[in-house]
Amino acid sequence: MNDADSLRRKYFALAARGENEPALSVAEQLVQIAPEQPASHYALGEAFASLGRHAEARAAFAEAVRRAPVWADAWVNLGLAHYHLNAVGQAKMAMRQALRHAPGHPAATSNLGALMRISGETEQGEAFLKASLDQAPDNHSARLNVAAEWLQVDRGADALALLDAAPTLPETAETLRAWKLARSLALLQLNRVPEARAEVADLEAIGLPPEIAPLGLWRRVLIADFEGDRAQAEARAAEMEAAIGAMGPNGLPEHRLMSHYDLARFWSGRGEPRRAFAHWASGHAILRQSQPYSRETSRAFIDAQIAGFDAARFAGPRAKNADPTPVFIVGMPRSGTTLCEQILHAHRDVHGAGERSALNEAFDRLRGTDAILRLTGPVLDAAATNYLAALHALAPDKARIVDKMPGNELYLGLVGLMLPGAKIIHCVRDPRDIGLSIWTYRFYGEHPYAHDLADLGWTIAERSRLMAHWRAVLPNPILTVALSDWVGDFEGTLARVLAHLDLPPDENCARFYEVDREVRTASRTQVKRPINAQGLGRWRGFAEDLAPLIAELHAGGMLEEGVG
């Protein structure tokens, strides 16, 4: 046996016993005497990862895949190291590389699906994982990640059925813990508290390592809440706060995020806004690491829209179609866009298509602002034909199809050139309530402006500046609807909206909350209830903590002097 083989055996023995520091020392020796072997660098990556030294683990796994580009396990571990360092995009690419070289690789499949959800590809990630389960029903991690997505939107019954349909139970302690965490939460969503308590007891008997201890404690908080034991719920929540700090470097960013947002919701409901706000701030601090924001880049884009898409440009070449089917509902997230779409979807002639990326994709496909400004009529006609064909395919029998992607307000210049018959509804709300609501909700996908209160206030003001420009120059009709309009005069507001869209009255719109339709946005629970004023003026309870946001709103002209 040569020295490398001897060291490799010694490394495996130490790692198996959890002697991580000695294992690292051996792995470093292994790299020194056998640097040409990919397995040496892989072992070093494993050793660094076990100690939470993820930057060094990433370098070691990168060297392993450089020397062995088809090694799927090395790609998976490189992806995990990227994720621990908040490089979600690079983590996804690594998982895709693993699947390229080993199609169906269980760990790459389950991790890629989870990363897709985290980065905002919710529906695509769910479809990907469900398709993989058709091929490999024993991939417990993939099953868990689909269940996790459903639990996020309170689909406890579906999540429980999915878990219980598994042909086998997990064998490893790590996966079994995750299984019981998911089942207990699903049972709690179904108010099956005794069964949930039994699952949590089993979980605690197996043992909760520090990196997932907060998740187990959160189940205890919920159980105490269900049983009306306020003191016990608060005591468990305090334990959970301490447990987050003790998760160590191997705690997943997603688990930290979940714990902070769960506790924020808990303490907010207990009338402790300052304690809740601290957890929201901690959650945003994690997200900010992987989503940097540039005011300069954002302002440059908006300035380019205002300068380029002026009245003179709209007097020039445009598409000739007058198709009235497209309806764009725009506005900042949490401004009432989902409510407006839900009300319209209840109309017999309308289909709510949700948040589509089609307009943004068309903007990119046409090569951005400068190129779009130079497009001729025939090119715009062709682009419109493609766009409308995909739109009509969603609901061929409907007279109007609604796209409520809030960020579409950035691309309304393209709408004015490509879709002359489209109508636009701009949803607005007290900007302080918008800011608070965005701050207190964990969005998936890219929302880099949301992770700093001052940036958030600045962005709300900038988007308002852009919308003022569109109202001044865009040929397409724009109707502004405030959330308070629905609360103060539902029937009058509905009449204005339907008239704007040239639609007849439909009594079903008043019962929008009865529509059986899956809503994936942050407002999914609100739109299943009748109109109420609960969210109006909520910012006042958090005014002191919102000071950076409010200052930017004042600076951007969004608030009158003395408004409070």
Side-chain angles (χ1 to χ4, degrees), residues 331-332 335 409 426-435 454 456-468 471 539 549-564:
M332 288 295 296
S335 63
E409 62 194 21
H426 178 214
C427 292
V428 299
R429 182 183 180 187
D430 186 312
R432 294 160 294 192
D433 279 329
I434 289 176
L456 179 52
W458 182 87
T459 299
I460 293 171
E462 281 291 286
R463 297 289 182 87
S464 178
R465 179 170 73 95
L466 179 60
M467 282 307 305
R471 283 193 297 272
W539 68 271
L549 176 135
I550 293 172
E552 289 288 349
L553 293 174
H554 273 294
M558 294 291 292
L559 301 173
E560 297 177 7
E561 289 299 323
V563 171

Side-chain angles (χ1 to χ4, degrees), residues 446-480:
E446 289 288 317
H447 293 270
Y449 62 85
H451 308 314
D452 176 271
L453 283 168
D455 286 342
L456 179 52
W458 182 87
T459 299
I460 293 171
E462 281 291 286
R463 297 289 182 87
S464 178
R465 179 170 73 95
L466 179 60
M467 282 307 305
H469 172 73
W470 296 137
R471 283 193 297 272
V473 304
L474 203 67
N476 304 67
I478 300 177
L479 176 69
T480 299

Side-chain angles (χ1 to χ4, degrees), residues 196-255:
R197 191 188 304 107
E199 287 284 351
V200 174
D202 288 346
L203 180 65
E204 292 168 344
I206 298 169
L208 283 169
E211 57 264 27
I212 62 167
L215 307 186
L217 285 164
W218 177 241
R219 273 69 176 164
R220 286 297 186 189
V221 171
L222 293 175
I223 290 169
D225 238 1
F226 271 110
E227 295 174 341
D229 191 338
R230 183 185 178 100
Q232 176 72 357
E234 292 182 356
R236 292 289 191 173
E239 286 181 53
M240 187 175 163
E241 288 176 323
I244 295 174
M247 287 176 76
N250 278 325
L252 291 177
E254 184 65 15
H255 290 166

Side-chain angles (χ1 to χ4, degrees), residues 520-542:
R520 290 180 176 265
T521 72
S523 303
R524 60 184 176 272
T525 55
Q526 291 95 322
V527 300
K528 296 296 183 180
R529 301 194 300 262
I531 290 288
N532 61 77
Q534 288 181 354
L536 301 183
R538 182 171 170 245
W539 68 271
R540 290 186 175 85
F542 299 88

